[in-house]
Amino acid sequence: MTGNGADRKTALVISAHAADFVWRCGGAIALHQARGYEVTVACLSFGERGESAKLWKQEGMTLEAVKSARRNEAEAAAKALDVHDIRFFDLGDYPLEMDRDAKFRLVDLIRAVQPNFMFSHSRFDPYNTDHMYATQIALETRMIAQAWGHNPSEKVLGAPQLYLFEPHQTEQMGWRPDVFLDISEVWDKKRAAIECMQGQEHLWTYYTNVAENRGNHFRRNSGGMAGGRPARYAEGFETVFPRTVDELG
Amino acid sequence: MTGNGADRKTALVISAHAADFVWRCGGAIALHQARGYEVTVACLSFGERGESAKLWKQEGMTLEAVKSARRNEAEAAAKALDVHDIRFFDLGDYPLEMDRDAKFRLVDLIRAVQPNFMFSHSRFDPYNTDHMYATQIALETRMIAQAWGHNPSEKVLGAPQLYLFEPHQTEQMGWRPDVFLDISEVWDKKRAAIECMQGQEHLWTYYTNVAENRGNHFRRNSGGMAGGRPARYAEGFETVFPRTVDELG
Amino acid sequence: MTGNGADRKTALVISAHAADFVWRCGGAIALHQARGYEVTVACLSFGERGESAKLWKQEGMTLEAVKSARRNEAEAAAKALDVHDIRFFDLGDYPLEMDRDAKFRLVDLIRAVQPNFMFSHSRFDPYNTDHMYATQIALETRMIAQAWGHNPSEKVLGAPQLYLFEPHQTEQMGWRPDVFLDISEVWDKKRAAIECMQGQEHLWTYYTNVAENRGNHFRRNSGGMAGGRPARYAEGFETVFPRTVDELG
Amino acid sequence: MTGNGADRKTALVISAHAADFVWRCGGAIALHQARGYEVTVACLSFGERGESAKLWKQEGMTLEAVKSARRNEAEAAAKALDVHDIRFFDLGDYPLEMDRDAKFRLVDLIRAVQPNFMFSHSRFDPYNTDHMYATQIALETRMIAQAWGHNPSEKVLGAPQLYLFEPHQTEQMGWRPDVFLDISEVWDKKRAAIECMQGQEHLWTYYTNVAENRGNHFRRNSGGMAGGRPARYAEGFETVFPRTVDELG
Amino acid sequence: MTGNGADRKTALVISAHAADFVWRCGGAIALHQARGYEVTVACLSFGERGESAKLWKQEGMTLEAVKSARRNEAEAAAKALDVHDIRFFDLGDYPLEMDRDAKFRLVDLIRAVQPNFMFSHSRFDPYNTDHMYATQIALETRMIAQAWGHNPSEKVLGAPQLYLFEPHQTEQMGWRPDVFLDISEVWDKKRAAIECMQGQEHLWTYYTNVAENRGNHFRRNSGGMAGGRPARYAEGFETVFPRTVDELG
Amino acid sequence: MTGNGADRKTALVISAHAADFVWRCGGAIALHQARGYEVTVACLSFGERGESAKLWKQEGMTLEAVKSARRNEAEAAAKALDVHDIRFFDLGDYPLEMDRDAKFRLVDLIRAVQPNFMFSHSRFDPYNTDHMYATQIALETRMIAQAWGHNPSEKVLGAPQLYLFEPHQTEQMGWRPDVFLDISEVWDKKRAAIECMQGQEHLWTYYTNVAENRGNHFRRNSGGMAGGRPARYAEGFETVFPRTVDELG
């Protein structure tokens, strides 16, 4: 774990589209807020072109109207999850593209937050190249934020873990969770945030099923029928970097 | 983490040959003993045929004499590491083979120890098929120990993590460490244990270099030049199963 | 696709333990029975030692009583799925082991059935070595059944596809589905079969969630919001061998 | 399979250089044309710089002359294969590069064609980075074509399969065919198209050998010596996305 | 490279069935014999049950007659390739199985030959489990042959490279060649050996095509159109162990 | 191996930052210079922003001053290694970016050098995206340099091997060495070059340990205790392309 000062604990979510943080790590956000962390969410785009089919099926819809609606949903969900801060980079989607300036804006945020850990997408996603591009950017901007020669007067970043949150159709993405987080105590908040996503109602049950089944995985890996902890809901994450510890467990 | 009762903390090492536990997880053993764990080591063979070249080069050497010498070295090393218990299964090496009875003897030990976590070799090793066979056996016996119908009166095993310790020539084995353990405070014990291995003096410097360089990896992954913890010696492990946690870090 | 005669269509399931065929390909079984296939299930063991925790928690339980109970459940489930034939090899579990004779008994069944396609477990399973062993045996016995010199008077096997059905915790097994089967029309039968598994009630909701979410995957991969077919329940499979076709689609 | 209207069946080939579609999926093109499909070929470049060595060895050759010659060859080959439509994007090669506008031009074509399935290169190619770049573009433009917010008045794309056709030196590219297509009935057309490639005569025999040997693979996987179908020529493809089916086979 | 004495150069082929060495490394055998090596071939079985379909289709065929015919073919092929020595272990096929004694017989041969390098099958083969079993045995017996405590009076083995020769349907086996050997000068011998395999005439053209196309790969990797060496026939191999060199090239 | 004329032997190193060539292939450089090769080093950047922490910690440091200091260190190290030529592309780091012009400048150098073999970074590096970007560029520019239509009057490149040199934390990068080079005779030069890197003194011992331990791997793979060559220092490399040979060894 890395430090960012004497008394703050922080985390940063890099979300390609406005809703990704809800389905994929909403539980982790609410839980860590409850544990005293300040969690910041960076939405690189609103998912306005590619993930708003329901809105576009309405008569006379415009790009600005879609972005506004998506922003409202994301802010409502962030509120439901007690998000500390949500930032909209408004970089466009399908495809998401980031030039040097956009990368440096994200570096600025990373340095300002000084996260103890970060979240992003899976490494690979043949359905959605924006997702894997966001992960590539997360690694690149993490590296820039560590450079002593980038804006030399600023505090450089340590070595925060990057947690890859759960993609849709995990097996097609080559994503393997190596940590399960018990989110039972904040499940109601995650469900409330999910229900803010009016445009994607077809996913509400889907991600509730995911949370229940990851709860089963949590129980299995914490002892199974010989004493596994009775987590009802969980989220899974894949780590990119090795952990550094004082004791195994 | 799994429990084995109210107040004991335990770990179990499955070592294909008598010396493996020293090079590969000697630091973890000494450290957890110092942390109050009882660490048991199971040596499936003495490495008497395949890992005792120096002894065999002596005039008139016999299999029993080699086994005896290797046992003495292993016991001395275990003592240096404060090992709680060391068991010699004496199953032969090059090749190591385990029939159903031998597997059940190992299951008996696993159940008696009720380890919070276990150690074994890498999944793959083209140089040394005994090593990967031991890992396969570790998974198989862990599964049997979890079976409610195996010796039904006994306490079944929970779901302990299996840590794969560092093989020789890591990259050829497809082994990737995902956790680094700071062993600086017990390095002297590990070095003392290493020096018990009179027959393999050519490896002393090698594994000292490994421990130093893993210390560098520990520092990098705990914050690097922006506050990484000054671990001087470390050991790396690859986990087989996902962790279950209450908080990320 | 391979032929087994003028007018029969057949399939064969190789199930390590008595209940695996229900959770993992119960829909495929019922569906193909409804399509005119004769589906045979081979249960290599009853899962009597390792997958019957609930029974073993009862006072005075014996191995024979567990096996009998598991057999009854499996037969009831098979009936619910309209299984053509179910065979119990009773080879023991945790660990499952097959000698040359047992393999040849399975070869006899494969040749008798002459399956158009077969089912078995994932290639890898660190939680349950019986599962991956069953897959290894499936490949080995498929090969023997193809040998013209094995019982030369018999009809040899063609080249049936081997479908690897869905394991528990798919990502840990390195299992990737490359075909989704719409089982909506037989879902009621699968659910009825699932409810025959009295000893594993904790898995009923789990595998219902799986079927619903695989239905979502079916819809996505058949066209998504631009016309995806409204499958409500599906099963996923990983193929081992390439398909041979006259037309792509 | 996805639909593009009541009565058309279509396919789209994305070919990095002008000749790739001939060697790699010429048989599939001719066969599906014969089956009533309309197959469109998009040549992103002519391969004018990097795949026209023979032309450049001629005295006084110019870039325009090479492009013209390559275009003529490609058009002749397309005719031999009964290609419905061939489009030259003329984006340059070695390296091939596509900006946002070029991507959107390709999206326009994808939407106009509404392919039931698509073809492109292998995921990886250390010899030829244009090839893997084309595959990356194929995934990205497929995604954009699915976005309801991209040119909202247009019909969005469904979820067509992407078939990765056979690269040169398959094993170095990590390409694994999972479907073999019998092209025996159109082999003469493919051979005629191959012979249009005057600048690459050294590959005629090579790809004839490939087609014969893939025929052997077809026979093996359709039943081998126990009834395999006597395909004489075949092509292999790797699928990116899972199939959705009503029946296994 | 390892040494086996002052003036002999030797190689050892481990072939699961009697004909494998012909198709897969016949060129390497003939070439190294011509270069002064003594190449020994160990046929673990005759392929009598699983790879002799043509013989079994004859009226009244017996196992002994098949074995005799296969032995004659293998000896004729060995002669055509100038093989130094061919040994038949007669261990049975489909499935091939080796107990401790059989392994030790193979170790005896390895030590007698003291090969500079060895050949065996691919690591994985879902069509033919005998093949991957032979590779596993090659690694295991190589390890035993290196053990100073195995028959202590004998000369131990050094560290010979293990070359995995080309399987059928390479991509399905996960086999990737990292070395191509020019066999043009001995092609006539390999073709003559191939033609000794009367029972598998359907493979003659197949493996001639393979040799021609590997010749193309040789040319590409030795310089391509800018000076690649004009090899007409080649064989490909995958190495298991790193090379040790004085100079890169 | 490829040729570049009658009597020159050359190699080219593509180094993302100014110091990479020292740690990762300094031994290979000095050794091949001693063998008569002319080795050219291309430093794409100075590592001025991201790999110069020690300098940036000094009061009043400027970007130009860091670049100058880094350049001086690199030139001193190059001299210690007898580098034939070192070129600084000064493209910036963290992130390193190359447009078409920068790529063509590198192609110009590749063609001027006509290397028998090249060096670059690992394929993957989650810590340092500049490293994997440099490898991608190495593959792309190698391809362009082979194009007959790129600057048609120039001599095109053959097919030089690309050696991927050792990254930091090898296992995290998926890097596997398949060749070890004995650098014992030039170790003093490599150590002298390492000591030129005043800003990264914390890595001196680290890479000395690496060289010693790779020496152990050299010995193991050249015969181990049965005659392995007594290399004291070595470097490891991963090859991208297959070798083409006349004889195995």
Side-chain angles (χ1 to χ4, degrees):
Chain A
M1 188 185 293
T2 63
N4 51 24
D7 45 16
R8 288 170 65 218
K9 293 187 296 181
T10 58
L12 176 66
V13 181
I14 297 177
S15 181
H17 310 108
D20 288 320
F21 73 92
V22 180
W23 320 112
R24 313 200 184 293
C25 63
I29 292 170
L31 188 70
H32 286 85
Q33 283 287 145
R35 295 263 187 284
Y37 284 77
E38 292 175 2
V39 184
T40 297
V41 175
C43 293
L44 302 182
S45 79
F46 295 103
E48 61 269 23
R49 288 163 41 94
E51 308 200 339
S52 306
K54 193 174 167 188
L55 290 165
W56 285 108
K57 290 178 181 176
Q58 297 173 21
E59 193 71 29
M61 186 54 60
T62 65
L63 192 66
E64 285 312 307
V66 173
K67 286 163 69 170
S68 175
R70 293 282 289 179
R71 181 182 188 122
N72 290 343
E73 283 183 6
E75 287 177 334
K79 190 169 179 186
L81 297 170
D82 298 324
V83 162
H84 173 69
D85 191 11
I86 184 166
R87 303 288 183 93
F88 298 99
F89 278 68
D90 194 11
L91 295 164
D93 70 322
Y94 284 58
L96 171 64
E97 293 172 329
M98 290 181 78
D99 60 14
R100 198 171 178 96
D101 282 344
K103 290 176 188 173
F104 283 8
R105 285 171 54 203
L106 184 53
V107 171
D108 289 344
L109 180 61
I110 294 172
R111 284 204 168 165
V113 170
Q114 292 282 335
N116 293 82
F117 50 87
M118 300 165 66
F119 295 93
S120 190
H121 295 259
S122 58
R123 294 176 203 256
F124 181 64
D125 190 332
Y127 296 87
N128 193 314
T129 57
D130 284 3
H131 288 168
M132 53 184 171
Y133 180 70
T135 306
Q136 178 187 324
I137 292 293
L139 291 172
E140 186 176 349
T141 50
R142 178 184 183 272
M143 174 190 78
I144 299 170
Q146 292 172 328
W148 288 75
H150 180 77
N151 296 345
S153 61
E154 295 178 1
K155 181 178 178 192
V156 301
L157 183 69
Q161 182 58 270
L162 178 60
Y163 290 101
L164 307 182
F165 46 53
E166 178 158 346
H168 207 83
Q169 300 195 64
T170 58
E171 304 94 354
Q172 309 302 323
M173 316 311 182
W175 177 85
R176 188 181 77 88
D178 54 16
V179 57
F180 290 113
L181 179 71
D182 182 353
I183 61 164
S184 305
E185 74 183 75
V186 295
W187 169 249
D188 290 347
K189 292 189 177 185
K190 178 164 182 176
R191 177 72 197 194
I194 283 175
E195 294 186 7
C196 295
M197 297 293 119
Q198 291 295 326
Q200 292 164 297
E201 194 170 345
H202 60 291
L203 293 176
W204 296 5
T205 298
Y206 183 89
Y207 280 104
T208 300
N209 286 350
V210 166
E212 286 178 5
N213 282 14
R214 294 300 178 194
N216 171 285
H217 297 176
F218 188 102
R219 296 191 296 276
R220 292 230 162 183
N221 285 290
S222 64
M225 277 180 281
R229 170 170 154 169
R232 292 183 54 232
Y233 299 95
E235 284 176 345
F237 301 97
E238 177 179 329
T239 55
V240 172
F241 301 102
R243 289 183 299 137
T244 53
V245 302
D246 289 320
E247 184 175 332
L248 302 169
Chain B
M1 189 186 294
T2 63
N4 52 22
D7 46 15
R8 288 172 65 218
K9 293 186 296 181
T10 58
L12 177 65
V13 182
I14 297 178
S15 181
H17 311 108
D20 288 321
F21 73 94
V22 181
W23 320 111
R24 313 197 183 295
C25 63
I29 292 171
L31 186 71
H32 286 85
Q33 283 288 144
R35 296 260 186 285
Y37 283 77
E38 294 175 2
V39 183
T40 297
V41 175
C43 293
L44 302 182
S45 78
F46 296 103
E48 61 269 24
R49 287 162 42 93
E51 308 201 338
S52 307
K54 192 174 167 186
L55 290 165
W56 284 107
K57 290 178 182 176
Q58 297 173 22
E59 194 70 28
M61 185 54 59
T62 66
L63 192 66
E64 285 312 308
V66 173
K67 286 163 67 170
S68 176
R70 294 281 290 177
R71 181 183 188 120
N72 290 344
E73 284 183 4
E75 287 176 334
K79 191 170 179 186
L81 296 170
D82 300 324
V83 162
H84 173 70
D85 191 10
I86 184 166
R87 302 290 184 91
F88 297 100
F89 279 68
D90 193 9
L91 295 164
D93 70 324
Y94 284 59
L96 171 65
E97 293 172 328
M98 290 181 77
D99 62 13
R100 197 174 180 92
D101 282 344
K103 290 175 188 174
F104 283 8
R105 284 171 55 204
L106 183 54
V107 172
D108 289 344
L109 180 61
I110 293 172
R111 284 202 167 165
V113 170
Q114 291 282 335
N116 292 82
F117 50 87
M118 300 166 65
F119 295 94
S120 190
H121 295 258
S122 58
R123 293 175 203 258
F124 181 62
D125 190 334
Y127 295 88
N128 193 314
T129 56
D130 284 3
H131 288 168
M132 55 184 170
Y133 181 70
T135 305
Q136 178 187 324
I137 292 293
L139 291 172
E140 187 176 349
T141 51
R142 178 183 182 273
M143 174 190 78
I144 300 170
Q146 292 173 326
W148 288 75
H150 179 77
N151 297 346
S153 60
E154 295 177 2
K155 181 178 177 191
V156 300
L157 183 68
Q161 182 58 271
L162 178 60
Y163 290 101
L164 307 182
F165 46 53
E166 178 158 348
H168 207 84
Q169 299 195 63
T170 58
E171 302 95 353
Q172 309 303 324
M173 317 312 182
W175 177 86
R176 188 181 77 88
D178 55 15
V179 58
F180 291 113
L181 179 70
D182 182 354
I183 61 164
S184 304
E185 73 182 76
V186 295
W187 169 249
D188 290 346
K189 292 190 177 185
K190 179 163 181 176
R191 177 71 197 194
I194 283 175
E195 293 184 9
C196 296
M197 297 293 118
Q198 292 294 327
Q200 291 164 298
E201 195 170 345
H202 59 293
L203 292 177
W204 296 6
T205 299
Y206 183 90
Y207 280 103
T208 300
N209 286 350
V210 166
E212 286 178 6
N213 283 12
R214 294 299 178 195
N216 171 285
H217 297 175
F218 188 102
R219 295 191 297 275
R220 292 230 161 183
N221 285 290
S222 64
M225 277 180 280
R229 172 171 152 166
R232 291 184 53 231
Y233 299 94
E235 284 176 346
F237 301 96
E238 177 179 330
T239 55
V240 172
F241 301 102
R243 290 182 298 137
T244 53
V245 303
D246 289 321
E247 184 175 331
L248 302 171
Chain C
M1 187 186 295
T2 62
N4 52 23
D7 45 14
R8 288 171 66 216
K9 293 187 295 181
T10 57
L12 177 66
V13 181
I14 297 178
S15 180
H17 310 108
D20 287 321
F21 73 93
V22 181
W23 319 111
R24 314 200 183 293
C25 63
I29 292 171
L31 187 71
H32 285 85
Q33 283 287 145
R35 295 263 187 284
Y37 283 77
E38 294 176 0
V39 184
T40 297
V41 175
C43 293
L44 302 181
S45 78
F46 296 102
E48 62 270 23
R49 287 163 41 94
E51 309 201 338
S52 306
K54 192 173 166 187
L55 289 165
W56 285 108
K57 290 178 182 176
Q58 297 173 21
E59 194 70 30
M61 187 53 59
T62 66
L63 191 66
E64 285 312 308
V66 173
K67 287 163 68 170
S68 176
R70 292 283 290 179
R71 181 183 188 121
N72 290 343
E73 283 183 5
E75 287 176 334
K79 190 169 179 186
L81 296 171
D82 299 324
V83 162
H84 173 70
D85 192 11
I86 185 166
R87 303 290 183 88
F88 298 99
F89 279 68
D90 194 10
L91 295 164
D93 70 322
Y94 284 58
L96 171 64
E97 293 173 328
M98 289 180 78
D99 61 14
R100 197 174 179 92
D101 282 344
K103 290 175 188 174
F104 284 7
R105 283 172 54 203
L106 184 53
V107 172
D108 289 344
L109 180 61
I110 293 172
R111 284 202 168 167
V113 170
Q114 292 283 334
N116 291 82
F117 50 88
M118 300 166 65
F119 296 94
S120 190
H121 295 258
S122 58
R123 295 175 203 257
F124 181 63
D125 189 333
Y127 296 88
N128 194 313
T129 57
D130 285 2
H131 287 167
M132 54 184 169
Y133 180 71
T135 305
Q136 177 187 325
I137 291 292
L139 290 173
E140 186 176 350
T141 52
R142 178 184 182 273
M143 174 190 77
I144 300 170
Q146 292 172 326
W148 288 75
H150 179 77
N151 296 345
S153 60
E154 295 178 1
K155 181 178 178 192
V156 300
L157 183 68
Q161 182 59 270
L162 179 60
Y163 290 101
L164 307 182
F165 46 53
E166 179 158 347
H168 208 84
Q169 299 196 65
T170 58
E171 302 95 354
Q172 309 302 324
M173 316 314 181
W175 176 87
R176 187 180 78 89
D178 55 16
V179 57
F180 291 113
L181 179 70
D182 182 353
I183 61 165
S184 304
E185 73 182 76
V186 296
W187 168 250
D188 290 348
K189 292 189 177 184
K190 178 162 182 177
R191 176 72 198 195
I194 283 174
E195 294 185 8
C196 295
M197 297 293 117
Q198 292 295 326
Q200 292 164 296
E201 194 170 346
H202 59 292
L203 293 177
W204 296 7
T205 299
Y206 182 90
Y207 279 105
T208 300
N209 285 350
V210 166
E212 286 178 6
N213 283 13
R214 294 300 177 194
N216 171 285
H217 297 176
F218 188 102
R219 295 191 297 275
R220 293 231 161 180
N221 284 290
S222 65
M225 277 181 279
R229 171 168 152 169
R232 292 183 53 231
Y233 300 95
E235 284 177 345
F237 302 96
E238 177 179 329
T239 54
V240 172
F241 301 102
R243 288 183 299 137
T244 52
V245 302
D246 289 320
E247 185 175 332
L248 302 171
Chain D
M1 187 185 296
T2 63
N4 51 23
D7 44 17
R8 288 170 66 217
K9 294 187 294 182
T10 58
L12 177 66
V13 181
I14 297 177
S15 180
H17 311 108
D20 287 321
F21 72 92
V22 180
W23 320 110
R24 312 199 184 296
C25 63
I29 292 170
L31 187 71
H32 286 84
Q33 283 288 145
R35 295 261 188 284
Y37 284 77
E38 293 175 3
V39 183
T40 297
V41 175
C43 293
L44 302 180
S45 79
F46 296 102
E48 62 270 23
R49 286 162 43 93
E51 308 200 339
S52 307
K54 193 174 166 188
L55 290 165
W56 285 108
K57 290 178 182 175
Q58 298 174 20
E59 194 70 28
M61 187 54 59
T62 66
L63 192 65
E64 285 312 307
V66 173
K67 285 163 70 169
S68 176
R70 293 282 290 180
R71 180 182 188 122
N72 290 343
E73 284 183 5
E75 286 177 334
K79 190 169 179 187
L81 297 170
D82 299 324
V83 163
H84 173 69
D85 192 10
I86 184 165
R87 303 287 184 91
F88 298 98
F89 279 67
D90 193 11
L91 296 163
D93 70 323
Y94 284 60
L96 172 64
E97 293 173 329
M98 290 180 79
D99 60 15
R100 197 173 179 95
D101 282 344
K103 290 176 189 173
F104 283 9
R105 283 171 55 203
L106 185 53
V107 172
D108 289 343
L109 181 61
I110 294 173
R111 284 202 168 167
V113 170
Q114 292 283 334
N116 293 81
F117 50 88
M118 299 164 67
F119 296 93
S120 191
H121 294 258
S122 58
R123 294 175 203 258
F124 180 63
D125 191 333
Y127 295 87
N128 193 314
T129 57
D130 284 3
H131 287 167
M132 54 185 170
Y133 181 70
T135 306
Q136 177 186 325
I137 292 293
L139 291 172
E140 186 175 350
T141 51
R142 178 184 183 272
M143 174 190 79
I144 300 170
Q146 292 173 327
W148 289 75
H150 179 77
N151 296 347
S153 60
E154 295 179 2
K155 181 178 178 192
V156 301
L157 183 68
Q161 182 58 270
L162 179 60
Y163 289 100
L164 307 182
F165 45 54
E166 178 157 348
H168 208 84
Q169 299 196 64
T170 59
E171 303 94 354
Q172 309 303 324
M173 316 312 181
W175 176 86
R176 188 181 77 88
D178 55 17
V179 58
F180 290 113
L181 178 71
D182 182 354
I183 60 164
S184 304
E185 72 183 76
V186 294
W187 169 249
D188 290 346
K189 292 188 179 187
K190 178 163 183 178
R191 177 71 198 194
I194 284 175
E195 294 186 9
C196 295
M197 297 293 119
Q198 291 295 327
Q200 292 164 297
E201 194 170 346
H202 60 292
L203 292 176
W204 296 5
T205 299
Y206 183 89
Y207 280 104
T208 300
N209 285 349
V210 166
E212 287 178 4
N213 283 12
R214 293 301 178 194
N216 172 286
H217 297 176
F218 188 102
R219 295 191 297 275
R220 293 231 162 181
N221 284 290
S222 64
M225 277 181 278
R229 171 170 152 167
R232 294 183 51 231
Y233 300 94
E235 284 177 345
F237 301 96
E238 177 179 330
T239 54
V240 171
F241 301 102
R243 288 182 300 137
T244 53
V245 302
D246 289 320
E247 184 175 330
L248 302 170
Chain E
M1 187 186 294
T2 62
N4 52 24
D7 46 15
R8 287 171 66 219
K9 295 187 295 181
T10 58
L12 177 65
V13 181
I14 298 178
S15 180
H17 312 107
D20 288 321
F21 72 93
V22 181
W23 320 111
R24 314 199 183 295
C25 63
I29 292 170
L31 187 71
H32 285 85
Q33 283 289 144
R35 295 262 187 283
Y37 284 78
E38 293 175 2
V39 184
T40 297
V41 175
C43 293
L44 301 181
S45 79
F46 296 103
E48 62 270 24
R49 286 163 43 94
E51 308 201 338
S52 306
K54 192 174 167 188
L55 290 165
W56 285 108
K57 289 178 181 175
Q58 296 173 23
E59 194 70 28
M61 187 53 59
T62 66
L63 192 65
E64 285 313 309
V66 173
K67 287 164 68 171
S68 176
R70 292 283 289 179
R71 180 184 189 120
N72 290 343
E73 284 183 4
E75 287 177 333
K79 191 169 178 186
L81 297 170
D82 298 324
V83 162
H84 174 69
D85 191 11
I86 183 165
R87 303 290 184 90
F88 298 99
F89 278 68
D90 194 11
L91 295 163
D93 70 322
Y94 284 60
L96 171 65
E97 292 173 329
M98 290 181 78
D99 61 14
R100 197 175 180 92
D101 282 344
K103 290 175 189 174
F104 284 7
R105 283 171 54 204
L106 184 53
V107 172
D108 289 344
L109 180 61
I110 293 172
R111 284 202 167 168
V113 170
Q114 292 283 335
N116 292 82
F117 50 88
M118 300 166 65
F119 295 94
S120 190
H121 295 260
S122 58
R123 295 176 202 257
F124 181 63
D125 190 334
Y127 296 86
N128 194 315
T129 57
D130 284 2
H131 287 167
M132 55 184 170
Y133 181 70
T135 306
Q136 177 186 324
I137 292 294
L139 290 173
E140 186 176 350
T141 51
R142 178 184 182 273
M143 174 190 78
I144 300 170
Q146 292 173 326
W148 288 76
H150 179 76
N151 297 345
S153 60
E154 295 178 1
K155 181 177 178 194
V156 301
L157 183 68
Q161 181 59 269
L162 179 60
Y163 290 100
L164 307 182
F165 46 53
E166 178 158 347
H168 208 85
Q169 299 196 64
T170 58
E171 302 95 354
Q172 309 303 323
M173 316 313 181
W175 176 87
R176 188 180 77 89
D178 55 16
V179 58
F180 290 112
L181 179 70
D182 183 352
I183 61 163
S184 305
E185 73 183 76
V186 296
W187 169 250
D188 290 347
K189 292 189 178 185
K190 178 161 183 178
R191 177 71 196 196
I194 283 174
E195 293 185 9
C196 295
M197 296 293 119
Q198 292 295 327
Q200 291 164 297
E201 194 170 344
H202 60 293
L203 293 176
W204 296 5
T205 299
Y206 182 90
Y207 280 104
T208 300
N209 286 349
V210 166
E212 286 178 5
N213 282 13
R214 293 301 178 194
N216 171 286
H217 297 176
F218 188 102
R219 294 191 297 275
R220 292 230 162 182
N221 285 289
S222 64
M225 277 180 278
R229 169 171 153 167
R232 291 183 53 230
Y233 299 95
E235 284 176 346
F237 301 97
E238 177 179 329
T239 54
V240 171
F241 301 102
R243 288 183 298 137
T244 53
V245 302
D246 289 321
E247 183 175 331
L248 302 170
Chain F
M1 188 185 293
T2 63
N4 51 22
D7 44 15
R8 289 171 65 216
K9 293 187 294 180
T10 58
L12 177 65
V13 181
I14 298 177
S15 180
H17 311 107
D20 287 321
F21 73 94
V22 181
W23 320 111
R24 312 199 184 294
C25 63
I29 292 170
L31 187 71
H32 285 84
Q33 283 287 145
R35 294 262 187 286
Y37 283 77
E38 293 175 2
V39 183
T40 298
V41 175
C43 292
L44 302 181
S45 78
F46 296 103
E48 63 269 23
R49 287 162 43 93
E51 309 202 338
S52 307
K54 193 174 167 188
L55 290 165
W56 285 108
K57 290 178 182 175
Q58 298 174 22
E59 193 71 29
M61 186 53 59
T62 65
L63 191 65
E64 286 311 309
V66 173
K67 285 164 68 171
S68 176
R70 292 283 289 178
R71 181 183 187 119
N72 290 343
E73 284 184 5
E75 287 177 334
K79 190 168 178 186
L81 296 171
D82 299 325
V83 162
H84 173 69
D85 191 10
I86 184 166
R87 304 288 183 91
F88 298 99
F89 279 68
D90 193 10
L91 295 163
D93 70 322
Y94 284 60
L96 171 64
E97 292 172 329
M98 289 180 78
D99 60 14
R100 196 173 180 93
D101 282 343
K103 290 176 189 173
F104 283 8
R105 284 172 54 204
L106 184 53
V107 172
D108 289 344
L109 180 61
I110 293 172
R111 283 203 169 166
V113 170
Q114 291 283 336
N116 292 82
F117 51 86
M118 300 165 66
F119 295 94
S120 190
H121 295 259
S122 59
R123 295 175 202 258
F124 181 64
D125 189 333
Y127 296 88
N128 193 315
T129 56
D130 284 2
H131 287 168
M132 55 184 168
Y133 181 71
T135 305
Q136 177 186 323
I137 292 293
L139 290 173
E140 187 176 348
T141 50
R142 178 184 182 273
M143 174 190 77
I144 299 170
Q146 292 172 327
W148 289 75
H150 179 76
N151 296 348
S153 61
E154 294 179 2
K155 182 178 177 192
V156 301
L157 183 69
Q161 182 58 271
L162 179 60
Y163 290 101
L164 307 182
F165 46 53
E166 177 157 348
H168 208 84
Q169 299 195 66
T170 59
E171 304 94 354
Q172 309 303 324
M173 316 313 181
W175 177 86
R176 187 181 78 87
D178 55 16
V179 58
F180 290 113
L181 178 72
D182 182 354
I183 61 164
S184 304
E185 73 183 74
V186 295
W187 169 249
D188 289 347
K189 292 189 177 185
K190 178 163 183 177
R191 177 70 197 195
I194 283 175
E195 294 186 8
C196 295
M197 297 292 118
Q198 291 295 327
Q200 291 164 297
E201 194 170 345
H202 60 291
L203 292 176
W204 295 6
T205 299
Y206 182 89
Y207 280 104
T208 300
N209 286 350
V210 166
E212 286 177 6
N213 283 12
R214 293 300 178 194
N216 172 286
H217 297 175
F218 188 103
R219 295 191 296 275
R220 293 232 161 181
N221 285 290
S222 64
M225 277 181 279
R229 171 169 151 166
R232 293 184 51 231
Y233 300 95
E235 285 177 345
F237 301 97
E238 177 179 329
T239 55
V240 171
F241 301 102
R243 287 183 299 137
T244 53
V245 302
D246 289 320
E247 185 175 331
L248 302 170

